[in-house]
Every structure is written in C-alpha cells, then in structure tokens.
Amino acid sequence: MTRGGWWWSDLRPLLLRLHFYVGLFVGPFVLVAAVTGLLYTTTPQLDQILYRDALHVPVGPTQLDLRDQVGAAAAAVPGGTVTEIRPPIAPDSTTRVTFDAPGVAEDYARTAFVDPYTGQVRAVLDTYGEWLPVRAWIDTLHRNLHLGDAGRLYSELAASWLWVLAMSGLALWVVRRRRRARVRRTLLPEGAARGRVRIRSWHGSVGLWAAIGMLVMSATGLTWSNFAGDNVGALRSALSWTTPSVSDELPAGGTVAAPPTAPAAVGSAADRVLAAARAAGIADPVAITPPSEAGRAWQVGQVKRSWPLAQDAVSVDPGSGAILDTVRWTDWPFMAQAAEVGISAHMGILFGIGNQLLLVALALGIVVVVVWGYRMWWLRRPTRPGAAAPGGSQRPGVVSLAVVGSVALGLGILFPVLGVSLLLFLLVDALTQQFRGRRTTPDGALSE
C-alpha cells in the first residue's frame, strides 16, 4: 500500500490535476492580484509623500473650534453637505471635513483638509472613504482593475481559487515529503538539487511558508467580492456575527427636529457632540457623523484600525449633549472582531510597517511560486497531442469524486464562482480521462 493509504492513492491523481490546471489557468489572475496587492502596500508612504501639505501643518499654540474649521471647509466646497468630520489625529495633522458634493464620482466624496490652528484650507481632494486619490486608485486597481462589476469577477476568482491552490499544494507537498526523516526537506528547499527538481523544491517550500498568508488573504478578500461577499454578509447576519452599531434614534421630544445644514450650525453641533463623546471615553482618532435625516442623533466612533484596535462608538443628542447609546469594541461578537482584525491585516494597517513588510514578503512569495509553477510546466510541457497532464490518466475513484464534489457543492452555496468552476473542472476532468482511457492501450500508449 502506498504512503497515505488507499484513499490517498485514489485522491492524489485528481488533486494533482486540480492543482496543475488551476495553477495553469487561474495563475494569471492570482499573479495580477499579488502584483497589485504589492503595489497597494506602498500607499501609506505614497500618501505621506504626495499629500504631505494636505496632511500636515506647523504646530500652533491653540486649535480653533470645529465651528470655524467647518465654516472654512464649507467655503472651499460650494454646494456641499457635510457627511463626516475627523479632528486632527496628531498635533501636526489637519482636520478632515468630508462633503457630499455635486460633480463627485459615485462612491467618492469631496474632502477639505483644514489647518486646525489657522483655519486655512490646505487642500480639497476627492476621496474614497478615508483613502486619498492615489491610494483609492490603487485600491480599485487591486479590487477590480478599474473594470467595475466585471472586474470584480477577476478578484473573486483569484481570491476563491487562491486557497484551493494553497491547500492542494500543501497536501501534495507534505504527503510527498512525509517519508523523508528530516523535517528540513519539507520546510526548506534542497540546495544541492538541480534543474526541475530544484525549482519544484523551491516552489513547494516557499508555497508551504506562504500557505497561511494565502488563506488569510483569500478569506478576507472574499468579503469584498461580488457574489461571495453578499453571501458571507447574509451568513454573518443569520449567525449574529455582524458589526454592531449605535442607535441614532432621538428620544421622544428630542431637542433637534432636523439636522443642521448651515456650516456654522454644523460646526457648533460638532463641537458639542465631540465634547460629550470625549467625556464618555471616546478617544482620538474619531469620526463625527451628522444625521442625514430629521429626528436622528449624531454619531461619534473611533476609527483606529491598528493594534490595539479602538472601535468604540456613541450616539449623541446634539442639543443636550446627552449620550443616547454606546457600543464598545469589547461588546462586538468574536467573529465580527476577527473579521475586523483580518481585514485590517489584509490592508496592511494592523501592525504598521511590520504588517506592510509581511504583505510584501507574501506578495513576492506568491509571485515567485506562480512563476516557478509555470517554469516547471514549461520544462515538462507536452510534446505530443493527447499527452497526459500531471496526475496521469488514472480515473478518479468514487471516493475522490464524492469528496471533491461534496466540497464543490458546499462551497457553491457561499462562494458561487468557486463552486461552479470546481464542478466544471470535475466534469471536464472526468470526460478527459474517459476519452484518454478509450484511446490508450493497457500499457498506456495511444491507440491507433
């Protein structure tokens, strides 16, 4: 009996073909995702270089009230409605006042960067959430190649199959090396090997070390995907794993009938709301969100996504300054906390420069593993029509088809792109092996 038992003898050829064909055809998508992700890791430093004047100011003696700062920002964004205010996060930082303004692209906003000491507007930029223009452009490149919903299929395909590549490669590599007494041969490449054996050694060893990172990137990346993202969101809601939010309802007879629209009124309310939030223990950095409709409270939430995360939030009656509702980070469900931590790690902001360096190493690892995979294929590429792929022409057994088919059906519920494409692979593989079986003699040669 071969190592791994009869079940492995039956499963290995199918798994090997799966790993080979996925790497061959999905590899380009994974490669593009890794390269654009590598580019994304540089964005914090790019922001500091390209937008230094917008982000930093000379430290002055006293900061102005938000009333004055919001007024200056509104003058620089005619026709805009304030949607968020972010006070300075450091003595030399600017205040960000974000507007829903005419002429701004969908999902973007217009943000004025105000010197908190002088009230001077340092810059007005179109932003995507908290991302500045260059970071927003690179982020969109990574998510959908600037192709909209069609481009999101690329990222979903890459994220879906990345973990399949990682897990199938991990199983093939570890079981293949298990017979060797020295663990080093599994964990590290063989320096004395040459040619294709050397490339395979590097491919397997680097892939082994990168596997955990691939799984994390795949899982967190799917939360932004088109089809899987919606399904994951629905699952989280059903299991009460969603991120909690504060209630913005005002009590009966509340002091504010409608949200203020004049810049001075917005700024005055923001000062009162921020003071109440800080008294309740909501420390910087924070985002202040005015209500978008009548009869709603203001919200102030922490926006610190580096470790340790600070995500406490309160809703405030702007008339009385009363705290109406509070949600603490410690109150979040564990899975909601895990998702937030994972997404922060995916974005490279959880551990600062250390997180960025890990992502750089992971992206480079994925790039070289894919390139080595193509190199191995080229060295062993078919030289005649009908030649068998890695894994040979052995037909998958009932157990293998049942296991992989069940996985495909199960995954198809949450991850349709992966489930459908995996079932399609099984169908094509079965037909191919059936066709080869009819064209070959018992000794494996092609029949005439």
Side-chain angles (χ1 to χ4, degrees), residues 328-375:
R328 302 290 181 184
W329 166 251
T330 53
D331 297 330
W332 287 28
F334 172 77
M335 291 304 297
Q337 291 180 333
E340 189 74 10
V341 169
I343 290 172
S344 295
H346 187 120
M347 297 165 62
I349 57 179
L350 185 61
F351 296 114
I353 188 66
N355 197 161
Q356 288 180 265
L357 293 175
L358 283 175
L359 289 182
V360 168
L362 177 60
L364 291 175
I366 293 173
V367 168
V368 297
V369 164
V370 171
V371 171
W372 283 328
Y374 278 114
R375 179 59 177 164

Tab-separated table of all heavy atoms in Angstrom, residues 328-375:
chain	number	residue	atom	x	y	z
A	328	ARG	N	-19.252	49.295	22.657
A	328	ARG	CA	-17.815	49.156	22.880
A	328	ARG	C	-17.252	48.024	22.022
A	328	ARG	O	-17.957	47.069	21.685
A	328	ARG	CB	-17.524	48.862	24.366
A	328	ARG	CG	-18.048	49.915	25.331
A	328	ARG	CD	-17.277	51.210	25.223
A	328	ARG	NE	-17.774	52.213	26.178
A	328	ARG	CZ	-17.314	53.465	26.228
A	328	ARG	NH1	-16.355	53.849	25.399
A	328	ARG	NH2	-17.814	54.318	27.105
A	329	TRP	N	-15.972	48.155	21.701
A	329	TRP	CA	-15.281	47.103	20.943
A	329	TRP	C	-15.415	45.766	21.638
A	329	TRP	O	-15.580	44.727	20.994
A	329	TRP	CB	-13.824	47.505	20.764
A	329	TRP	CG	-12.890	46.431	20.305
A	329	TRP	CD1	-11.916	45.819	21.033
A	329	TRP	CD2	-12.814	45.838	18.987
A	329	TRP	NE1	-11.244	44.892	20.267
A	329	TRP	CE2	-11.766	44.893	19.008
A	329	TRP	CE3	-13.522	46.027	17.806
A	329	TRP	CZ2	-11.413	44.130	17.892
A	329	TRP	CZ3	-13.171	45.262	16.688
A	329	TRP	CH2	-12.139	44.332	16.745
A	330	THR	N	-15.364	45.769	22.955
A	330	THR	CA	-15.466	44.513	23.717
A	330	THR	C	-16.850	43.894	23.616
A	330	THR	O	-17.019	42.718	23.945
A	330	THR	CB	-15.116	44.758	25.194
A	330	THR	OG1	-15.916	45.840	25.700
A	330	THR	CG2	-13.648	45.122	25.350
A	331	ASP	N	-17.858	44.676	23.177
A	331	ASP	CA	-19.214	44.143	23.029
A	331	ASP	C	-19.418	43.460	21.678
A	331	ASP	O	-20.442	42.814	21.469
A	331	ASP	CB	-20.246	45.269	23.173
A	331	ASP	CG	-20.212	45.915	24.557
A	331	ASP	OD1	-19.862	45.204	25.524
A	331	ASP	OD2	-20.516	47.112	24.666
A	332	TRP	N	-18.486	43.630	20.758
A	332	TRP	CA	-18.646	43.035	19.428
A	332	TRP	C	-18.610	41.509	19.531
A	332	TRP	O	-17.862	40.944	20.344
A	332	TRP	CB	-17.515	43.474	18.505
A	332	TRP	CG	-17.577	44.887	18.027
A	332	TRP	CD1	-18.141	45.950	18.658
A	332	TRP	CD2	-17.022	45.391	16.816
A	332	TRP	NE1	-17.984	47.091	17.916
A	332	TRP	CE2	-17.289	46.781	16.776
A	332	TRP	CE3	-16.321	44.821	15.766
A	332	TRP	CZ2	-16.884	47.592	15.724
A	332	TRP	CZ3	-15.910	45.619	14.709
A	332	TRP	CH2	-16.201	46.985	14.691
A	333	PRO	N	-19.384	40.795	18.720
A	333	PRO	CA	-19.238	39.330	18.652
A	333	PRO	C	-17.819	38.966	18.230
A	333	PRO	O	-17.172	39.703	17.476
A	333	PRO	CB	-20.258	38.923	17.579
A	333	PRO	CG	-21.219	40.063	17.503
A	333	PRO	CD	-20.444	41.293	17.824
A	334	PHE	N	-17.364	37.810	18.696
A	334	PHE	CA	-15.986	37.414	18.405
A	334	PHE	C	-15.712	37.376	16.909
A	334	PHE	O	-14.657	37.822	16.444
A	334	PHE	CB	-15.694	36.034	19.024
A	334	PHE	CG	-14.360	35.475	18.601
A	334	PHE	CD1	-13.183	35.952	19.157
A	334	PHE	CD2	-14.285	34.482	17.624
A	334	PHE	CE1	-11.946	35.446	18.753
A	334	PHE	CE2	-13.061	33.972	17.221
A	334	PHE	CZ	-11.895	34.459	17.792
A	335	MET	N	-16.641	36.831	16.117
A	335	MET	CA	-16.408	36.713	14.677
A	335	MET	C	-16.367	38.084	14.008
A	335	MET	O	-15.654	38.273	13.021
A	335	MET	CB	-17.473	35.828	14.032
A	335	MET	CG	-17.381	34.368	14.426
A	335	MET	SD	-15.748	33.629	14.080
A	335	MET	CE	-15.662	33.777	12.299
A	336	ALA	N	-17.130	39.044	14.533
A	336	ALA	CA	-17.062	40.405	13.997
A	336	ALA	C	-15.699	41.017	14.316
A	336	ALA	O	-15.107	41.705	13.471
A	336	ALA	CB	-18.181	41.263	14.579
A	337	GLN	N	-15.186	40.769	15.518
A	337	GLN	CA	-13.846	41.242	15.860
A	337	GLN	C	-12.790	40.583	14.979
A	337	GLN	O	-11.874	41.253	14.477
A	337	GLN	CB	-13.547	40.942	17.336
A	337	GLN	CG	-14.352	41.757	18.318
A	337	GLN	CD	-14.006	41.423	19.764
A	337	GLN	OE1	-13.569	40.310	20.067
A	337	GLN	NE2	-14.195	42.375	20.650
A	338	ALA	N	-12.930	39.264	14.783
A	338	ALA	CA	-11.960	38.546	13.956
A	338	ALA	C	-11.962	39.071	12.527
A	338	ALA	O	-10.902	39.230	11.904
A	338	ALA	CB	-12.271	37.048	13.972
A	339	ALA	N	-13.158	39.355	11.996
A	339	ALA	CA	-13.250	39.894	10.634
A	339	ALA	C	-12.577	41.257	10.549
A	339	ALA	O	-11.861	41.549	9.582
A	339	ALA	CB	-14.712	39.988	10.208
A	340	GLU	N	-12.785	42.097	11.543
A	340	GLU	CA	-12.184	43.437	11.536
A	340	GLU	C	-10.661	43.345	11.619
A	340	GLU	O	-9.946	44.062	10.907
A	340	GLU	CB	-12.718	44.250	12.722
A	340	GLU	CG	-12.346	45.716	12.707
A	340	GLU	CD	-13.122	46.516	11.683
A	340	GLU	OE1	-14.095	45.970	11.114
A	340	GLU	OE2	-12.768	47.678	11.440
A	341	VAL	N	-10.164	42.453	12.468
A	341	VAL	CA	-8.715	42.264	12.580
A	341	VAL	C	-8.149	41.724	11.270
A	341	VAL	O	-7.106	42.194	10.782
A	341	VAL	CB	-8.388	41.306	13.750
A	341	VAL	CG1	-6.919	40.894	13.720
A	341	VAL	CG2	-8.713	41.973	15.083
A	342	GLY	N	-8.833	40.739	10.686
A	342	GLY	CA	-8.357	40.156	9.432
A	342	GLY	C	-8.333	41.157	8.291
A	342	GLY	O	-7.376	41.210	7.511
A	343	ILE	N	-9.370	41.985	8.196
A	343	ILE	CA	-9.424	42.994	7.137
A	343	ILE	C	-8.331	44.040	7.337
A	343	ILE	O	-7.691	44.481	6.374
A	343	ILE	CB	-10.817	43.641	7.097
A	343	ILE	CG1	-11.846	42.626	6.580
A	343	ILE	CG2	-10.818	44.889	6.224
A	343	ILE	CD1	-13.279	43.094	6.679
A	344	SER	N	-8.101	44.435	8.583
A	344	SER	CA	-7.025	45.396	8.859
A	344	SER	C	-5.669	44.821	8.476
A	344	SER	O	-4.815	45.527	7.926
A	344	SER	CB	-7.034	45.785	10.346
A	344	SER	OG	-8.221	46.479	10.688
A	345	ALA	N	-5.475	43.521	8.748
A	345	ALA	CA	-4.220	42.869	8.345
A	345	ALA	C	-4.113	42.807	6.830
A	345	ALA	O	-3.036	43.028	6.264
A	345	ALA	CB	-4.145	41.463	8.946
A	346	HIS	N	-5.212	42.503	6.155
A	346	HIS	CA	-5.233	42.445	4.688
A	346	HIS	C	-4.850	43.798	4.095
A	346	HIS	O	-4.154	43.860	3.075
A	346	HIS	CB	-6.637	42.045	4.223
A	346	HIS	CG	-6.744	41.780	2.758
A	346	HIS	ND1	-7.135	40.563	2.255
A	346	HIS	CD2	-6.518	42.562	1.668
A	346	HIS	CE1	-7.143	40.602	0.928
A	346	HIS	NE2	-6.781	41.813	0.544
A	347	MET	N	-5.276	44.873	4.733
A	347	MET	CA	-4.999	46.218	4.243
A	347	MET	C	-3.616	46.728	4.650
A	347	MET	O	-3.204	47.805	4.229
A	347	MET	CB	-6.074	47.184	4.747
A	347	MET	CG	-7.470	46.848	4.226
A	347	MET	SD	-8.791	47.682	5.141
A	347	MET	CE	-8.401	49.375	4.822
A	348	GLY	N	-2.921	45.975	5.497
A	348	GLY	CA	-1.566	46.356	5.879
A	348	GLY	C	-1.483	47.428	6.941
A	348	GLY	O	-0.453	48.092	7.059
A	349	ILE	N	-2.527	47.596	7.747
A	349	ILE	CA	-2.521	48.668	8.748
A	349	ILE	C	-2.592	48.141	10.181
A	349	ILE	O	-2.570	48.935	11.119
A	349	ILE	CB	-3.687	49.655	8.516
A	349	ILE	CG1	-5.024	48.923	8.537
A	349	ILE	CG2	-3.507	50.391	7.206
A	349	ILE	CD1	-6.226	49.845	8.330
A	350	LEU	N	-2.673	46.828	10.362
A	350	LEU	CA	-2.857	46.294	11.711
A	350	LEU	C	-1.619	46.502	12.572
A	350	LEU	O	-1.725	46.922	13.730
A	350	LEU	CB	-3.210	44.805	11.642
A	350	LEU	CG	-3.544	44.130	12.968
A	350	LEU	CD1	-4.761	44.775	13.606
A	350	LEU	CD2	-3.796	42.634	12.754
A	351	PHE	N	-0.438	46.206	12.037
A	351	PHE	CA	0.802	46.334	12.794
A	351	PHE	C	1.774	47.313	12.146
A	351	PHE	O	2.994	47.169	12.266
A	351	PHE	CB	1.474	44.966	12.950
A	351	PHE	CG	0.668	43.988	13.753
A	351	PHE	CD1	0.144	42.847	13.163
A	351	PHE	CD2	0.401	44.213	15.091
A	351	PHE	CE1	-0.607	41.943	13.881
A	351	PHE	CE2	-0.352	43.316	15.832
A	351	PHE	CZ	-0.855	42.180	15.227
A	352	GLY	N	1.236	48.281	11.427
A	352	GLY	CA	2.074	49.318	10.847
A	352	GLY	C	3.051	48.772	9.831
A	352	GLY	O	2.718	47.937	8.992
A	353	ILE	N	4.294	49.240	9.909
A	353	ILE	CA	5.307	48.868	8.925
A	353	ILE	C	5.581	47.375	8.952
A	353	ILE	O	5.876	46.769	7.914
A	353	ILE	CB	6.614	49.667	9.172
A	353	ILE	CG1	7.604	49.441	8.036
A	353	ILE	CG2	7.218	49.315	10.522
A	353	ILE	CD1	7.162	49.982	6.709
A	354	GLY	N	5.463	46.738	10.136
A	354	GLY	CA	5.651	45.295	10.216
A	354	GLY	C	4.628	44.549	9.375
A	354	GLY	O	4.953	43.578	8.685
A	355	ASN	N	3.365	44.999	9.439
A	355	ASN	CA	2.311	44.402	8.630
A	355	ASN	C	2.600	44.594	7.144
A	355	ASN	O	2.434	43.681	6.327
A	355	ASN	CB	0.978	45.055	9.000
A	355	ASN	CG	-0.237	44.261	8.553
A	355	ASN	OD1	-1.343	44.464	9.069
A	355	ASN	ND2	-0.087	43.372	7.597
A	356	GLN	N	3.064	45.778	6.772
A	356	GLN	CA	3.400	46.045	5.370
A	356	GLN	C	4.506	45.120	4.879
A	356	GLN	O	4.429	44.571	3.776
A	356	GLN	CB	3.836	47.500	5.199
A	356	GLN	CG	2.713	48.512	5.307
A	356	GLN	CD	3.227	49.923	5.123
A	356	GLN	OE1	3.525	50.627	6.089
A	356	GLN	NE2	3.356	50.333	3.876
A	357	LEU	N	5.538	44.932	5.687
A	357	LEU	CA	6.651	44.071	5.282
A	357	LEU	C	6.207	42.621	5.123
A	357	LEU	O	6.658	41.915	4.209
A	357	LEU	CB	7.786	44.176	6.304
A	357	LEU	CG	8.495	45.534	6.371
A	357	LEU	CD1	9.523	45.556	7.492
A	357	LEU	CD2	9.164	45.856	5.029
A	358	LEU	N	5.314	42.162	6.005
A	358	LEU	CA	4.786	40.802	5.865
A	358	LEU	C	4.005	40.657	4.564
A	358	LEU	O	4.119	39.639	3.869
A	358	LEU	CB	3.886	40.468	7.058
A	358	LEU	CG	4.587	40.123	8.373
A	358	LEU	CD1	3.564	39.946	9.490
A	358	LEU	CD2	5.422	38.852	8.223
A	359	LEU	N	3.210	41.686	4.219
A	359	LEU	CA	2.450	41.628	2.975
A	359	LEU	C	3.372	41.670	1.757
A	359	LEU	O	3.105	41.008	0.747
A	359	LEU	CB	1.450	42.784	2.920
A	359	LEU	CG	0.252	42.695	3.868
A	359	LEU	CD1	-0.668	43.891	3.670
A	359	LEU	CD2	-0.524	41.404	3.668
A	360	VAL	N	4.431	42.452	1.844
A	360	VAL	CA	5.410	42.488	0.749
A	360	VAL	C	6.023	41.101	0.557
A	360	VAL	O	6.119	40.596	-0.571
A	360	VAL	CB	6.503	43.533	1.029
A	360	VAL	CG1	7.673	43.370	0.058
A	360	VAL	CG2	5.939	44.948	0.918
A	361	ALA	N	6.432	40.472	1.668
A	361	ALA	CA	7.027	39.131	1.587
A	361	ALA	C	6.030	38.128	1.023
A	361	ALA	O	6.383	37.282	0.188
A	361	ALA	CB	7.512	38.691	2.966
A	362	LEU	N	4.759	38.222	1.467
A	362	LEU	CA	3.741	37.295	0.985
A	362	LEU	C	3.474	37.500	-0.505
A	362	LEU	O	3.393	36.530	-1.271
A	362	LEU	CB	2.448	37.483	1.780
A	362	LEU	CG	1.263	36.621	1.344
A	362	LEU	CD1	1.606	35.138	1.456
A	362	LEU	CD2	0.027	36.950	2.172
A	363	ALA	N	3.339	38.765	-0.936
A	363	ALA	CA	3.078	39.049	-2.350
A	363	ALA	C	4.225	38.547	-3.222
A	363	ALA	O	3.998	37.914	-4.263
A	363	ALA	CB	2.859	40.542	-2.559
A	364	LEU	N	5.454	38.808	-2.795
A	364	LEU	CA	6.606	38.326	-3.561
A	364	LEU	C	6.645	36.797	-3.565
A	364	LEU	O	6.996	36.176	-4.580
A	364	LEU	CB	7.896	38.888	-2.969
A	364	LEU	CG	8.115	40.396	-3.144
A	364	LEU	CD1	9.374	40.832	-2.407
A	364	LEU	CD2	8.207	40.770	-4.620
A	365	GLY	N	6.291	36.182	-2.429
A	365	GLY	CA	6.255	34.729	-2.367
A	365	GLY	C	5.249	34.151	-3.350
A	365	GLY	O	5.536	33.167	-4.044
A	366	ILE	N	4.047	34.749	-3.410
A	366	ILE	CA	3.034	34.273	-4.349
A	366	ILE	C	3.508	34.438	-5.785
A	366	ILE	O	3.335	33.544	-6.629
A	366	ILE	CB	1.705	35.014	-4.119
A	366	ILE	CG1	1.119	34.641	-2.755
A	366	ILE	CG2	0.709	34.695	-5.226
A	366	ILE	CD1	-0.109	35.445	-2.365
A	367	VAL	N	4.141	35.575	-6.072
A	367	VAL	CA	4.634	35.831	-7.429
A	367	VAL	C	5.637	34.761	-7.844
A	367	VAL	O	5.528	34.164	-8.932
A	367	VAL	CB	5.264	37.232	-7.532
A	367	VAL	CG1	6.032	37.393	-8.841
A	367	VAL	CG2	4.189	38.314	-7.426
A	368	VAL	N	6.648	34.490	-7.001
A	368	VAL	CA	7.681	33.526	-7.393
A	368	VAL	C	7.137	32.108	-7.433
A	368	VAL	O	7.559	31.297	-8.277
A	368	VAL	CB	8.918	33.618	-6.468
A	368	VAL	CG1	9.570	34.988	-6.579
A	368	VAL	CG2	8.555	33.317	-5.019
A	369	VAL	N	6.185	31.775	-6.546
A	369	VAL	CA	5.600	30.435	-6.577
A	369	VAL	C	4.849	30.220	-7.889
A	369	VAL	O	4.947	29.151	-8.513
A	369	VAL	CB	4.667	30.235	-5.361
A	369	VAL	CG1	3.759	29.013	-5.571
A	369	VAL	CG2	5.488	30.041	-4.093
A	370	VAL	N	4.088	31.230	-8.332
A	370	VAL	CA	3.373	31.118	-9.611
A	370	VAL	C	4.360	31.017	-10.771
A	370	VAL	O	4.205	30.176	-11.670
A	370	VAL	CB	2.432	32.319	-9.801
A	370	VAL	CG1	1.847	32.321	-11.223
A	370	VAL	CG2	1.301	32.294	-8.780
A	371	VAL	N	5.394	31.851	-10.752
A	371	VAL	CA	6.390	31.824	-11.836
A	371	VAL	C	7.113	30.493	-11.855
A	371	VAL	O	7.317	29.901	-12.932
A	371	VAL	CB	7.390	32.992	-11.672
A	371	VAL	CG1	8.548	32.847	-12.652
A	371	VAL	CG2	6.684	34.327	-11.888
A	372	TRP	N	7.509	29.969	-10.697
A	372	TRP	CA	8.162	28.656	-10.659
A	372	TRP	C	7.220	27.568	-11.165
A	372	TRP	O	7.651	26.610	-11.813
A	372	TRP	CB	8.605	28.324	-9.237
A	372	TRP	CG	9.847	29.053	-8.819
A	372	TRP	CD1	10.889	29.437	-9.603
A	372	TRP	CD2	10.165	29.490	-7.485
A	372	TRP	NE1	11.842	30.089	-8.865
A	372	TRP	CE2	11.425	30.133	-7.552
A	372	TRP	CE3	9.524	29.415	-6.259
A	372	TRP	CZ2	12.042	30.685	-6.430
A	372	TRP	CZ3	10.133	29.958	-5.141
A	372	TRP	CH2	11.372	30.585	-5.231
A	373	GLY	N	5.916	27.693	-10.844
A	373	GLY	CA	4.953	26.720	-11.342
A	373	GLY	C	4.913	26.701	-12.864
A	373	GLY	O	4.911	25.627	-13.489
A	374	TYR	N	4.900	27.886	-13.473
A	374	TYR	CA	4.908	27.946	-14.942
A	374	TYR	C	6.234	27.423	-15.506
A	374	TYR	O	6.261	26.790	-16.571
A	374	TYR	CB	4.671	29.382	-15.410
A	374	TYR	CG	3.213	29.762	-15.419
A	374	TYR	CD1	2.727	30.733	-14.563
A	374	TYR	CD2	2.322	29.141	-16.288
A	374	TYR	CE1	1.381	31.082	-14.555
A	374	TYR	CE2	0.975	29.484	-16.296
A	374	TYR	CZ	0.513	30.454	-15.430
A	374	TYR	OH	-0.813	30.794	-15.432
A	375	ARG	N	7.318	27.684	-14.798
A	375	ARG	CA	8.605	27.188	-15.260
A	375	ARG	C	8.645	25.664	-15.249
A	375	ARG	O	9.151	25.030	-16.199
A	375	ARG	CB	9.723	27.754	-14.363
A	375	ARG	CG	11.127	27.290	-14.716
A	375	ARG	CD	11.508	27.652	-16.130
A	375	ARG	NE	12.891	27.263	-16.434
A	375	ARG	CZ	13.381	27.188	-17.664
A	375	ARG	NH1	12.608	27.486	-18.712
A	375	ARG	NH2	14.636	26.826	-17.853
